[in-house]
């Protein structure tokens, strides 16, 4: 079903399609090691608005079938003028190009990139982390490659790499209002930043230094400026349901930074990596999810509005779908709230909520959700007014042996794994006692970890004295 643009397995670009979150998955993509065409999986989105006013997204490309992130090998650029119609401009660089053009690098291992525009010479600089060679003790010699073009979407030619940049992933370049470019990279808990030369954006001006003051830094650095303040956002090491995106603020582009907390809760994908961009006077957060594929290494970019508070702090991005009706209050004073399973949040217009593929669970005639299996998830928005403890009862029917699931609040596991024996043809009540739900919680996710089951309701009973 992949478009007129594809004939004899040749895909002709650009291709424009109307798309909603999760983005780009309906574009055609060559699959790894074959001539066949599959869905386009993307991650690590860097958003920029260039002089023509369009929003451009430079993303990593997850190739199917994946082998961890080893086979990520080619970059595509996407753009839009209305957040409705999206264009895939095609491949702009591969590891083959890098090897041929500047003689370094191995196959694959092309991770989260960024792009910057230098008005002084009218050139676009594409920065990408790429492995030069595997190291004898099992590590990797990462370089920050640079490719340069007169166009934002094609004809990039590798100009080598940024000599002296630490062997870390995820480069990002921020250009300040005075035209000074800054470069950052980082992974595995280390984040560094420094200046690029104003007269040569492929070279450092001095050494890159560790960024001070970040909390729980994992990877995925992004720097932007809003109302005169600098913001460094990044993924953290949150384990449950994937990484969060956090941010820190500073009066200087190189810190020191003051952590301000989480602005995107885990999306269920193991990694997350985002950027923040102003487009037509509004701010947006880019991030990635793995809902369409159900696999951590086959990701899809999402975009949602981002809002600031009056003091410049960022509100958590509301990328958790549209509630089915009025949002229920969690009970106080010994009361109970019964959430009907079928009253789950839907996808809404702009949200990255999306159930997995053709096997997604469905609403059954008897008023329950049927066919929930590994990596499916069902979401319910709730209002919580205080930190309280609850007994939580799931009316559930396991349809396989070894069914496992857990409940998360704002992307953090609050029940631990609940294991059930099955199969059975009857619904039964399973209660987990003494679960804390905090006042800032806005949504609950029931996440399937194994097996197959049906869900009728979740009852939350206040047990505070
Ligand atoms: O996409 C490969 C790696 O996964 C990126 O470089 C990281 O930020 C994480 O998203």
């Amino acid at each position: 079903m992949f478009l007129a643009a594809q004939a004899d397995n040749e895909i002709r670009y650009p291709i424009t399609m109307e798309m909603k979150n999760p983005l780009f998955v309906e574009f055609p993509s060559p699959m790894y090691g074959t001539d066949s065409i599959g869905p386009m999986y993307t991650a690590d989105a860097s958003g920029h608005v260039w002089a023509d006013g369009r929003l451009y997204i430079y993303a990593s490309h997850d190739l199917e079938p994946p082998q961890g992130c080893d086979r990520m090998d080619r970059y595509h650029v996407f753009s839009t003028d209305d957040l409705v119609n999206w264009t895939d401009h095609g491949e702009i660089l591969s590891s083959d190009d890098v090897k041929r053009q500047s003689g370094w690098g191995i196959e694959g291992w092309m991770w989260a990139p960024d792009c910057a525009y230098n008005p002084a010479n009218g050139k676009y600089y594409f920065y990408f982390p790429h492995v030069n060679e595997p190291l004898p003790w099992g590590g990797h010699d990462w370089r920050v490659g640079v490719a340069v073009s007169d166009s934002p979407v094609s004809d990039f030619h590798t100009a080598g790499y940024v000599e002296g940049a630490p062997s870390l992933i995820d480069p990002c370049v921020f250009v300040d209002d005075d035209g000074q470019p800054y470069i950052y990279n980082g992974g595995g808990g280390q984040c560094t930043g420094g200046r690029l030369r104003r007269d040569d954006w492929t070279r450092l001006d001095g050494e890159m230094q560790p960024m001070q003051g970040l909390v729980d830094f994992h990877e995925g650095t992004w720097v932007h400026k809003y109302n005169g303040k600098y913001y460094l956002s990044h993924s953290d090491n949150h384990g449950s349901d994937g990484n969060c995106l956090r941010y820190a603020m500073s009066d200087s582009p190189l810190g020191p930074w003051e952590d301000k907390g989480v602005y995107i809760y885990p999306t269920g994908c193991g990694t997350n990596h985002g950027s923040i961009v102003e487009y037509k006077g509004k701010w947006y957060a880019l991030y990635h999810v793995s809902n369409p594929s159900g696999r951590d290494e086959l990701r899809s970019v999402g975009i949602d509005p981002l809002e600031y508070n009056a003091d410049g702090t960022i509100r958590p991005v509301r990328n958790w779908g549209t509630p089915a009706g009025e949002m229920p209050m969690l009970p106080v004073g010994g009361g109970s709230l019964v959430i009907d399973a079928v009253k789950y949040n839907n996808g809404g217009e702009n949200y990255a909520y999306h159930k997995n593929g053709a096997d997604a669970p469905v609403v059954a005639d008897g008023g329950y959700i049927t066919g929930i299996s590994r990596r499916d998830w069902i979401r319910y928005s709730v209002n919580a007014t205080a930190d309280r403890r609850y007994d939580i009862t799931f009316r559930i029917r396991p349809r396989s042996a070894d069914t496992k699931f857990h409940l998360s609040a704002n992307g953090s596991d609050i029940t631990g794994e609940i294991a059930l024996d099955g199969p059975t043809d009857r619904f039964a009540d399973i209660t987990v006692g003494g679960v804390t739900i905090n006042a800032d919680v806005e949504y609950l996710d029931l996440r399937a970890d194994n097996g197959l089951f049906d869900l009728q309701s979740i009852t939350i009973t206040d047990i505070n004295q």
Side-chain angles (χ1 to χ4, degrees):
M1 54 75 119
F2 281 119
L3 309 180
Q6 172 208 330
D8 300 331
N9 285 342
E10 186 194 335
I11 305 169
R12 286 191 279 282
Y13 297 99
I15 306 170
T16 300
M17 292 175 76
E18 200 174 307
M19 273 183 198
K20 289 183 193 159
N21 279 330
L23 294 171
F24 312 143
V25 74
E26 290 144 65
F27 283 131
S29 164
M31 293 179 69
Y32 180 86
T34 74
D35 287 338
S36 20
I37 303 295
M40 164 69 71
Y41 291 112
T42 53
D44 309 327
S46 292
H48 290 281
V49 177
W50 304 133
D52 63 1
R54 290 179 75 85
L55 171 63
Y56 289 84
I57 294 181
Y58 298 82
S60 300
H61 184 177
D62 286 346
L63 279 177
E64 191 182 15
Q67 183 177 284
C69 290
D70 309 11
R71 291 173 172 168
M72 297 170 62
D73 192 62
R74 320 153 183 177
Y75 296 107
H76 279 230
V77 182
F78 308 90
S79 76
T80 182
D81 199 25
D82 54 11
L83 299 180
V84 175
N85 296 287
W86 292 86
T87 299
D88 181 350
H89 295 275
E91 183 181 315
I92 56 162
L93 197 72
S94 69
S95 62
D96 275 356
D97 297 335
V98 178
K99 189 82 176 173
R100 198 179 57 252
Q101 294 167 355
S102 61
W104 61 279
I106 60 173
E107 188 190 340
W109 298 93
M110 302 189 86
W111 288 8
D114 193 16
C115 192
Y117 175 65
N118 183 353
N121 60 8
K123 299 217 180 279
Y124 294 85
Y125 290 77
F126 182 71
Y127 300 86
F128 56 95
H130 182 40
V131 170
N132 179 38
E133 57 182 7
L135 296 173
W137 54 89
H140 290 100
D141 171 23
W142 285 96
R143 288 180 176 176
V144 176
V146 199
V148 185
S149 175
D150 293 329
S151 157
V153 298
S154 63
D155 302 317
F156 281 93
H157 192 279
T158 317
Y161 58 95
V162 181
E163 283 186 48
S167 173
L168 296 170
I169 59 173
D170 297 359
C172 126
V173 168
F174 163 72
V175 184
D176 209 346
D177 302 333
D178 62 1
Q180 173 66 53
Y182 294 86
I183 186 165
Y184 308 80
N185 70 352
Q190 295 178 62
C191 179
T192 70
R195 287 183 177 74
L196 288 169
R197 280 176 54 156
R198 278 175 181 260
D199 62 347
D200 184 351
W201 287 23
T202 70
R203 296 171 68 188
L204 291 179
D205 179 1
E207 289 187 5
M208 291 174 74
Q209 304 291 339
M211 294 293 90
Q212 305 290 349
L214 303 177
V215 169
D216 203 21
F217 177 85
H218 181 49
E219 57 192 13
T221 310
W222 179 259
V223 174
H224 78 280
K225 194 174 185 180
Y226 171 76
N227 271 356
K229 297 277 184 199
Y230 299 89
Y231 293 72
L232 189 156
S233 44
H234 59 91
S235 70
D236 72 4
N237 296 291
H238 190 73
S240 164
D241 300 344
N243 301 146
C244 299
L245 295 182
R246 315 179 61 93
Y247 73 104
M249 293 172 66
S250 177
D251 291 324
S252 151
L254 294 175
W257 300 95
E258 188 182 342
D259 178 71
K260 296 291 182 183
V262 170
Y263 76 97
I264 292 194
Y265 296 123
T267 65
C269 178
T271 58
N272 203 348
H273 182 130
S275 59
I276 295 173
V277 61
E278 186 178 16
Y279 172 62
K280 296 193 175 174
K282 293 189 174 158
W283 287 84
Y284 293 90
L286 289 149
Y287 54 95
H288 61 235
V289 300
S290 54
N291 313 337
S293 72
R295 296 197 56 168
D296 275 347
E297 320 89 336
L298 293 176
R299 300 163 290 180
S300 297
V301 166
I303 184 168
D304 275 296
L306 175 136
E307 293 175 347
Y308 297 89
N309 294 306
D311 64 359
T313 53
I314 297 176
R315 297 188 193 146
V317 173
R318 305 182 71 80
N319 61 347
W320 48 77
T322 308
E326 216 158 279
M327 278 201 290
M329 300 290 293
L330 290 182
V332 291
S336 287
L337 166 71
V338 181
I339 299 175
D340 283 338
V342 296
K343 293 195 174 159
Y344 57 84
N345 291 14
N346 70 31
E349 279 299 303
N350 289 306
Y351 299 98
Y353 176 86
H354 183 93
K355 292 205 197 80
N356 297 339
D359 298 336
V362 293
V363 174
D365 279 348
Y368 57 89
I369 307 274
T370 186
I372 306 168
S373 61
R374 187 176 138 68
R375 290 193 68 108
D376 284 336
W377 48 285
I378 320 244
R379 177 166 294 169
Y380 304 93
S381 287
V382 290
N383 271 315
T385 50
D387 296 357
R388 293 181 84 83
R389 290 174 65 242
Y390 298 96
D391 286 349
I392 303 185
T393 301
F394 302 89
R395 184 157 292 175
I396 198 161
R397 178 167 67 183
R399 289 170 48 200
S400 70
D402 207 15
T403 283
K404 291 179 182 158
F405 68 97
H406 67 274
L407 192 72
S408 293
N410 285 5
S412 290
D413 184 350
I414 54 170
T415 57
E417 190 173 81
I418 303 163
L420 301 176
D421 282 335
T424 166
D425 54 7
R426 293 223 194 121
F427 280 95
D429 286 344
I430 306 294
T431 299
V432 182
V435 175
T436 299
I437 301 182
N438 293 321
D440 62 350
V441 160
E442 303 218 41
Y443 64 91
L444 304 173
D445 284 342
L446 183 130
R447 290 196 172 262
D449 300 313
N450 201 38
L452 179 69
F453 60 96
D454 301 342
L455 178 74
Q456 193 156 51
S457 60
I458 302 173
T459 301
I460 301 177
T461 303
D462 180 67
I463 56 167
N464 295 271
Q465 299 306 316

